[in-house]
Amino acid sequence: MTFLKMLVTALGQVLTWCGGQHARQFIEIRFRQAGFDDDAIDAAREAVTLLVTALITTLMAQILLILDSL
């Protein structure tokens, strides 16, 4: 069970990094197409990174709680 928890934690870190990168790229492309300046794009990229990180962290925490109850 400990190995499974370690695996889920590692998966969470990978998903956070990968999801954050894709979200940042998506925001940059869409905001540039809409004509926003670099400051707005930077702020949006940081916000989306925080959002993705929070969502994935919460998801992984719930998965770990489920594993603890098994």
Side-chain angles (χ1 to χ4, degrees):
M1 187 62 81
T2 302
F3 178 74
L4 186 57
K5 289 180 187 178
M6 289 171 43
L7 187 63
V8 168
T9 302
L11 177 63
Q13 292 172 347
V14 169
L15 287 175
T16 299
W17 178 81
C18 188
Q21 289 295 329
H22 285 286
R24 290 172 67 93
Q25 288 174 352
F26 177 82
I27 289 295
E28 183 169 357
I29 291 167
R30 297 301 180 261
F31 272 49
R32 287 211 189 280
Q33 289 174 346
F36 286 94
D37 64 354
D38 286 340
D39 290 335
I41 293 170
D42 288 341
R45 281 191 306 215
E46 291 303 317
V48 77
T49 300
L50 290 172
L51 177 63
V52 167
T53 300
L55 290 172
I56 293 174
T57 300
T58 303
L59 176 65
M60 291 300 138
Q62 291 299 315
I63 291 171
L64 288 172
L65 283 174
I66 291 169
L67 290 176
D68 280 340
S69 67
L70 297 178

